Amino acid sequence: MYASMKKIFDKFFDINIFQKLIISFTLIIVIPLFTSYYISKRTMGEVIVKQVYGDTLNSLQLVASSVDEILGRMISASLYVSQDENIKLILQAESNISLIDDNIDQPKKMLERLNRINKVNNMLDNISFNTMGSKCYITLITPSGAKYTNWHYDGKLAEDYLLPYMNGKLIPSDNSVIWKDIEKNYVYNDVKSKPYVLTLIKNVNDEWYNQKYGTIIISIPEIEIRKFISSSNNNYKRFIIDKNMNIISDSNGENITKSFEEIYDGVIPKERKGYFIDKLNSGNKVLITYYKIDTMQWTVIDIKSYDYITQELTQSNNRLLIGNIICIFVFLGVAGFIARSIAKPIKLLTKEMLLTDLESVYQQVRIKRRDEIGVLEDSFNTMRKNIHKLMQENLEKERKKREAELEALQAQISPHFLFNTLNAVRWAAINNNSKKAADMVLALGNLLRMTIIKNNELISIEQEIENLKYYIAIIKMRHATMFDVFYDIDESIRDFQIPKLLLQPLVENAILHGFEQLKVGGRIDIIGTEKKDKILILIKDNGKGMDTTFLLEEKNIKSLKFSGIGIENVNERIKIHYGKEYGIVIKSEPGRGTTVEVWLPKKFGEVIE
């Protein structure tokens, strides 16, 4: 990790300042904007969810209160019936009646029973209207099997439903209230419109005499509960589930009697109320709010589509995102302008610095700014002035140095060369060889005039060749070495100027060392030609040659000294004049002669007028 970060930072520091500024500005602009966008989105999402939860929880509390109320009315109704003395007397009379007694009293007894039935039905209707306040089915069953209802007893469906109660199988053994699970409606006329009912069962007993008068069954249609949670909005649904996760009621009536786990297989927290965000079995992300009804251990659940409740927030976030993107482009444009205004003058100044050479050092950078970059430009101009001054001083020093070297060279050559030449003239005169003496004096005079008397440091290649011819003529007359010199100089380079006495030391080395112990057959070729933007002068001999392995390193060339002048002097003079890329190259093999290449720049060779 550290190595990767270091590599990234190294790459960052390698790029130019404009790119650094753009990257820095981009990070400074983009990171805060998107961070604020993310925080705003999360914060607003939480605020909206909490607000929706608060509103939903209030609504669920009202639902729970309403459901509690209707369940409480059912309990109240059952208690009223079980404690009403009139109802107990009627049920007791119904239990004691015998339809097979004296036939004379049969009509009277039937009439009395009809009166009791009507009286009980009226009482049940009053209870249903006054106590329940909503649609309900109330049934009284006596131990003898007699039935009293506030609904129309309509045949087999009701009979099948009530038969277990009439047989005593489902009648509670004590005086407690028993609630049954949600079940299908047993009133035939209402089955289609009210398919499910919720039922309460309670005994009608006399606790003092331990006497049982009958059983009361109160059922309310599930739709009476559903009306508290129904909604026409398809983006959220509500359910009432029991402690076993069975659905008692839902907002659209499609899932009654099903297990809630078919819709959501997660766990509802044990807390009385709360909310959480999760996904249904269908994969939809939802906000689930719950509120528990303690009386029945039921739970009211509200499920809202998360996308629906955050729809407006999403639209606001999209607008905020678009605004942020526009701001990013605007800010990046401004940042780019600022970065360019900073980087461009620095780049131009850097370019000026990189292009600073012998020619541009005389020029001054135009100062256009008054800030830190302007100070840099001013400092750079001052530096250029100082460099120019130092260059002028160095050029003057180099010029004086070259003049001193040339004077020293001439002073070094003159005594040695003059002594030997004059000595040769003397012996020619002693031997009465006046022509040889005259030729030597003429050649010596021309050579001295070209090399010593003329003050010009540069001469043309043609003049240098003429000097060589005078020098070679003197050497041939002074020494017994037999050799021939051949010249092949292109006409196009004859007028180019080169430093004085540049070729003479090289030819001297070829004669004195290449032809050492060679009496006849010596040959020197002097060839001059153009090579693109360079001039190449070759001095080739067929002498004894040498091993040049030790010359591969530039430092070792200085150890090669053939004469007082030497190749070292020639090579250094060329480099002083023209630079390190020019100079001499020696190619030689023992027994195969030697070739000396002299490389000079063509651009410095100017035509002599």
Side-chain angles (χ1 to χ4, degrees), residues 380-502:
F380 180 64
N381 282 336
T382 302
M383 183 190 71
R384 272 191 167 179
K385 289 178 182 178
N386 294 334
I387 291 175
H388 174 61
K389 183 178 179 181
L390 291 173
M391 288 179 62
Q392 294 296 326
E393 293 175 356
N394 287 335
L395 288 174
E396 183 65 21
K397 288 179 181 180
E398 289 296 329
R399 186 185 64 80
K400 291 180 178 180
K401 181 180 178 181
R402 288 196 299 271
E403 289 178 354
E405 288 177 350
L406 185 59
E407 289 174 0
L409 178 63
Q410 293 169 348
Q412 185 181 11
I413 294 172
S414 297
H416 177 75
F417 188 76
L418 287 175
F419 175 78
N420 290 329
T421 303
L422 291 174
N423 192 41
V425 172
R426 174 175 172 272
W427 283 105
I430 291 173
N431 294 326
N432 294 321
N433 193 346
S434 57
K435 185 177 186 308
K436 180 179 179 181
D439 290 341
M440 290 182 68
V441 171
L442 177 62
L444 179 61
N446 289 331
L447 182 61
L448 292 176
R449 183 174 64 251
M450 296 298 296
T451 58
I452 298 176
I453 299 174
K454 287 193 174 183
N455 293 325
N456 293 336
E457 185 179 350
L458 299 177
I459 62 174
S460 67
I461 293 177
E462 187 173 7
Q463 289 176 329
E464 181 72 5
I465 295 299
E466 290 296 323
N467 291 341
L468 279 177
K469 289 179 180 180
Y470 294 138
Y471 173 75
I472 290 169
I474 293 173
I475 293 298
K476 282 185 176 182
M477 286 185 283
R478 282 175 46 192
H479 299 279
T481 304
M482 299 301 294
F483 63 91
D484 294 315
V485 180
F486 298 92
Y487 304 92
D488 183 11
I489 308 297
D490 290 351
E491 290 293 332
S492 59
I493 67 170
R494 286 180 175 270
D495 292 332
F496 284 100
Q497 292 183 319
I498 61 174
K500 193 185 296 184
L501 294 177
L502 192 68

Side-chain angles (χ1 to χ4, degrees), residues 87-112:
I87 293 178
K88 288 181 180 181
L89 291 174
I90 293 173
L91 294 179
Q92 185 179 15
E94 182 67 23
S95 299
N96 294 330
I97 191 172
S98 176
L99 299 178
I100 59 174
D101 287 343
D102 188 9
N103 291 330
I104 299 175
D105 296 331
Q106 185 70 20
K108 181 180 178 181
K109 292 179 179 180
M110 288 294 297
L111 180 61
E112 290 177 353

Side-chain angles (χ1 to χ4, degrees), residues 27-46:
L27 293 177
I28 291 171
I29 293 170
V30 172
I31 291 178
L33 282 177
F34 276 101
T35 301
S36 64
Y37 169 77
Y38 175 77
I39 294 174
S40 173
K41 182 179 178 180
R42 286 289 302 272
T43 304
M44 292 303 298
E46 292 175 358

Side-chain angles (χ1 to χ4, degrees), residues 543-586:
K544 64 180 181 180
M546 62 179 174
D547 186 2
T548 60
T549 304
F550 74 104
L551 296 176
L552 293 177
E553 296 185 21
E554 184 179 354
K555 63 180 182 180
N556 290 330
I557 197 172
K558 295 184 178 181
S559 65
L560 186 62
K561 296 182 179 180
F562 292 104
S563 66
I565 302 171
I567 293 178
E568 176 190 7
N569 184 284
V570 175
N571 191 49
E572 289 185 354
R573 287 174 65 200
I574 294 174
K575 292 185 180 299
I576 289 173
H577 274 281
Y578 306 118
K580 293 183 179 181
E581 65 270 27
Y582 302 99
I584 64 174
V585 178
I586 300 174

